[in-house]
Amino acid sequence: MLDPPCNAALCNAAVFLPPPACHPGFYKAYAGNIKCSKCPPHSFSYGEGSAACHCERGFYRADKDPPTMACTRPPSPPRNLMFNLNDTCLMLEWSPPSDSGGRRDLTYNVLCKRCGPEPNHCKLCEEDLRFLPRPLGLTNATVTVTDFSANANYTFEIESLNGVSDMSSFPRQVAIITVNTNQGGEYVLELPGL
């Protein structure tokens, strides 16, 4: 049996029907006759017809990240903090974090506090010491520190950062190392919590 002839207006309307709306868990970033895409990892869409997927709690998408990219999170702290000490400098080295947060734009900051005999009497000391190559935005997991004072306690906090670290409201996790200098210029190194 043959199909009945089609009314031209109905046939044209059937050809140009909009595609169905995307179901929850899917999205369509661009208008048009394209397929719905599954939400990238660590993201979701609630309703029908979503144009974007929202990041899960604790995950973020940087401003320059495309909507097709997975949501990511800040990295864990550096691991395996090590040191090499001589008369003039302290070289700090560490391993990358166990969790990069799902990103490749990893950098490190080294923060310094000089503390008096009372632990609560600390001041920042980045300006008093020299960091080679620099204390912030390091791309390698090492830094050399010079220009120590005798009879001083220095605490270094090393943090891992990535492109979404500034978006998180959680405190950053750091690896901590404390160096005590005494009158003879000798150094004692403490590794609290590691």
Side-chain angles (χ1 to χ4, degrees), residues 6 12-13 16 29 34 37-38 41 53 79 104 119 122 132 148 153 158 160 170 177 193:
C6 166
N12 287 339
F16 294 109
I34 58 173
S37 298
K38 186 170 175 38
C53 295
R79 301 174 296 125
R104 295 183 183 170
C122 297
L132 301 170
F148 284 99
N153 296 324
I158 299 148
S160 306
F170 296 106
I177 191 168

Side-chain angles (χ1 to χ4, degrees), residues 4-124:
C6 166
N7 174 316
L10 288 176
C11 288
N12 287 339
V15 171
F16 294 109
L17 286 176
C22 298
H23 298 293
F26 291 81
Y27 76 108
K28 191 183 294 188
Y30 308 102
N33 199 13
I34 58 173
K35 286 183 167 182
C36 295
S37 298
K38 186 170 175 38
C39 286
H42 303 292
S43 67
F44 61 92
S45 64
Y46 284 120
E48 300 275 329
S50 291
C53 295
H54 304 281
C55 293
E56 295 172 0
R57 183 181 176 162
F59 289 83
Y60 310 92
R61 200 174 277 128
D63 293 338
K64 293 181 181 180
D65 293 345
T68 55
M69 184 172 165
C71 293
T72 57
R73 62 182 172 206
S76 60
R79 301 174 296 125
N80 304 323
L81 186 56
M82 298 174 285
F83 69 95
N84 186 3
L85 191 60
N86 65 31
D87 292 339
T88 59
C89 68
L90 169 69
M91 186 168 145
L92 299 173
E93 295 181 84
W94 54 89
S95 298
S98 58
D99 179 4
S100 69
R103 302 184 67 87
R104 295 183 183 170
D105 53 357
L106 194 62
T107 60
Y108 305 97
N109 288 344
V110 179
L111 308 172
C112 176
K113 296 176 188 170
R114 182 174 175 183
C115 301
E118 302 287 326
N120 296 336
H121 292 98
C122 297
K123 67 173 190 146
L124 296 178

Side-chain angles (χ1 to χ4, degrees), residues 123-139:
K123 67 173 190 146
L124 296 178
C125 59
E126 282 86 2
E127 293 180 11
D128 299 336
L129 302 178
R130 205 166 94 194
F131 292 82
L132 301 170
R134 63 190 168 278
L136 306 176
L138 298 166
T139 54

